[in-house]
Amino acid sequence: MNEPKKILIFQTAFLGDVILTLPLLQVLKRNFPNSEIDFVTTPRASEIIKTHPAVNRVILFDKKNEQKGWKGVFKLANKLRKENYEIVFSPHRSFRTSILLFISNIPKRISFDKSSFSFLYTDLVFYDNSKHEVERNLSLLEKIGITISNKEIPKIGILKTHKEKIDKIILENSIGKKIICIAPGSIWNTKRWTPENFAKTIELISQNFNNYTFILIGANEDETLCEQIISQSNNSSAINLAGKLSLIESAELISRAEFLISNDSAPLHIGVAVETKVVAIFGPTVTNFGFAPYGNII
């Protein structure tokens, strides 16, 4: 197809889902370098998107707070209608998203056949359960004639200020050893490996290798969990940075680690994006769902 003037990507699911949508953004920009590509996402995920070199503008959809309910849906739809987008890609499959994009009057609306209210889209793509989520998202491009033959890894835009913040932390904590990052949190409690097992892992590695510094990361709500793990590990040199780093700063720290240990949660996808080895722990979910680390899996 001819290069569109304005393209929209709509993904307001969890942070991990947004990270796995980045390859779609990247391929679109590579094929349409002169197009303006905007991205609708949540306030929390916006930090990952706004520093990405392929995005033109981030539009917030605070669907749990300020834009909660149908009033928020119609308000955002009205805003999008005025932008005159030619095409929208929606990996997000909720009925609210389908309605919102329909009333936004975007001429070409592409999503999956499993989307709720899928009849409101102009183009539907088969949701293939056998594929990784990255590949499923990229399959939406088939409707505009773009096919992908190679793996497209998510990329995160890390700025100089983020690197300087991590430099400062490493200097202040006199970290001269190799780093192992641990991300023990998750929105879903059922996805969390137990604090005892994380602590045993730290203790076991420490007993066999003395050249690692353990840094625990996460959101504000993970601070107590990380403290609990450190206290149980008997490792006085482990550092708790939960709640002290932004998402991009966390990405920069992970990029400097030898490897990351993470639950089936957003940090594992950040690890892939910054090309750090990831040890991913799956409990109630399985890799066949399509959310395993997207890279060379051992």
Side-chain angles (χ1 to χ4, degrees), residues 259-272:
F259 59 92
L260 164 73
I261 304 174
S262 173
N263 295 314
D264 173 20
S265 192
L268 80 83
H269 304 303
I270 293 176
V272 171

Side-chain angles (χ1 to χ4, degrees), residues 17-35:
D17 300 287
V18 174
I19 294 170
L20 296 178
T21 307
L22 292 178
L24 175 63
L25 168 65
Q26 292 158 195
V27 173
L28 277 170
K29 191 61 178 179
R30 195 157 60 239
N31 282 268
F32 301 126
N34 298 313
S35 296

Side-chain angles (χ1 to χ4, degrees), residues 22 25-26 55 57 68-69 104 113 117 121 131 141 146 148 151 194 198 218 234 250 254 278 286:
L22 292 178
L25 168 65
Q26 292 158 195
V55 77
R57 183 169 57 130
K68 186 177 180 179
S104 297
D113 59 352
F117 287 28
Y121 290 96
K131 289 184 175 180
L141 296 171
I146 298 176
I148 311 299
K151 277 194 172 184
T194 65
F198 276 112
N234 297 315
S250 295
I254 292 170
V278 177
V286 294

Side-chain angles (χ1 to χ4, degrees), residues 171-224:
L171 183 63
E172 288 176 345
N173 289 277
S174 301
I175 300 172
K177 299 179 180 181
K178 296 178 180 179
I179 295 171
I180 295 176
C181 281
I182 297 180
S186 173
I187 293 174
W188 308 102
N189 286 332
T190 54
K191 285 187 176 184
R192 291 185 177 185
W193 207 30
T194 65
E196 293 77 17
N197 281 331
F198 276 112
K200 287 177 183 177
T201 300
I202 293 174
E203 193 168 354
L204 182 62
I205 295 173
S206 299
Q207 288 171 355
N208 289 275
F209 306 94
N210 61 5
N211 59 336
Y212 287 110
T213 295
F214 296 88
I215 302 181
L216 282 72
I217 58 174
N220 290 323
E221 56 268 26
D222 298 318
E223 184 177 0
T224 300

